[in-house]
Amino acid sequence: DAGVIQSPRHEVTEMGQEVTLRCKPISGHDYLFWYRQTMMRGLELLIYFNNNVPIDDSGMPEDRFSAKMPNASFSTLKIQPSEPRDSAVYFCASSPSWRGTTDTQYFGPGTRLTVL
Amino acid sequence: GDSVTQMEGPVTLSEEAFLTINCTYTATGYPSLFWYVQYPGEGLQLLLKATKADDKGSNKGFEATYRKETTSFHLEKGSVQVSDSAVYFCALSDTIQGAQKLVFGQGTRLTINP
């Protein structure tokens, strides 16, 4: 199995630009999670999906952030407009179901975003 | 809300030394507990987990026991190797709306010198 795939691995952009991060979960996993990792705040859950439907987006920092999952094999996290404080590593993770809830989460390699 | 507190790093040890990384948690209910490891430039990988009190998770020589009475899940390894150098995250799962929402500690950077 290829594991969770994220692209791009690195993104450098200027303040005010739109940024789109992409994720392909492991086939057969019906939960998908987006996390952000910074030195100051550690790992934070931004949003998660179940069967392509957003379930909990309470971690999304503000309206500049949006996430979609148009099908079971693809999700995007978009930031528009981007700001320097959005600089972080963004991880996608997927998980199969187990007894009505999620099982172990498998993480992608992350996208390192730098906003200048 | 639920939280995880980890031993602050960085931690530097010599090869073959004994390792302990402390982790304590605060939770309502009965969470599952996890240790994840992050090698340089990579995403997090599950190292071990325990789903109920007194369970011991183990993998690659690492062990951790779910201690409900002390709300702890300390990570141990008897003899570390240079290849164990990484950042280690303790986490608990909080089931919300049907999914295990992971709450992570701040991470502990471990460096093993030859």
Side-chain angles (χ1 to χ4, degrees):
Chain A
D1 198 326
V4 176
I5 299 172
Q6 291 187 246
S7 64
R9 292 294 307 276
H10 302 273
E11 177 79 33
V12 180
T13 190
E14 293 189 348
M15 182 173 63
Q17 297 297 307
E18 178 180 297
V19 175
T20 299
L21 312 181
R22 297 172 175 80
C23 175
K24 177 179 168 54
I26 293 172
S27 177
H29 286 191
D30 42 14
Y31 285 87
L32 184 139
F33 304 80
W34 281 101
Y35 291 87
R36 178 173 68 175
Q37 183 180 39
T38 61
M39 289 296 293
M40 290 299 295
R41 301 175 66 88
L43 269 160
E44 305 172 278
L45 176 65
L46 300 178
I47 185 172
Y48 81 87
F49 296 81
N50 178 214
N51 292 323
N52 315 336
V53 176
I55 302 300
D56 182 358
D57 65 355
S58 59
M60 296 286 261
E62 49 197 275
D63 292 346
R64 297 184 298 106
F65 286 69
S66 62
K68 295 182 179 180
M69 193 165 185
N71 58 62
S73 59
F74 184 66
S75 177
T76 60
L77 178 67
K78 186 176 293 186
I79 308 173
Q80 165 66 16
S82 58
E83 297 183 4
R85 60 194 168 117
D86 301 331
S87 297
V89 180
Y90 292 81
F91 289 103
C92 175
S94 70
S95 171
S97 294
W98 183 75
R99 294 186 180 180
T101 182
T102 56
D103 196 34
T104 301
Q105 294 184 24
Y106 294 82
F107 284 74
T111 295
R112 182 174 295 277
L113 172 65
T114 303
V115 183
L116 302 174
Chain B
D2 295 354
S3 66
V4 175
T5 302
Q6 266 182 255
M7 169 179 177
E8 287 195 19
V11 174
T12 302
L13 296 172
S14 297
E15 206 164 21
E16 299 183 2
F18 184 86
L19 168 71
T20 300
I21 300 178
N22 289 337
C23 172
T24 57
Y25 68 91
T26 302
T28 55
Y30 304 96
S32 294
L33 302 174
F34 306 82
W35 278 99
Y36 277 83
V37 58
Q38 184 179 26
Y39 298 103
E42 299 183 10
L44 279 72
Q45 304 175 23
L46 178 67
L47 180 59
L48 53 85
K49 70 178 182 180
T51 57
K52 62 183 186 298
D54 299 325
D55 268 2
K56 177 187 283 187
S58 60
N59 186 26
K60 300 182 181 180
F62 291 90
E63 293 183 340
T65 301
Y66 189 148
R67 301 286 187 201
K68 187 169 179 288
E69 64 275 14
T70 55
T71 61
S72 66
F73 193 55
H74 304 321
L75 182 68
E76 297 182 336
K77 186 173 184 181
S79 177
V80 293
Q81 306 300 313
V82 173
S83 57
D84 294 327
S85 298
V87 180
Y88 291 81
F89 292 90
C90 185
L92 64 80
S93 66
D94 180 8
T95 301
I96 296 178
Q97 298 185 54
Q100 288 190 3
K101 178 177 174 178
L102 288 175
V103 176
F104 288 91
Q106 284 295 101
T108 301
R109 182 175 299 278
L110 173 67
T111 301
I112 307 300
N113 294 321

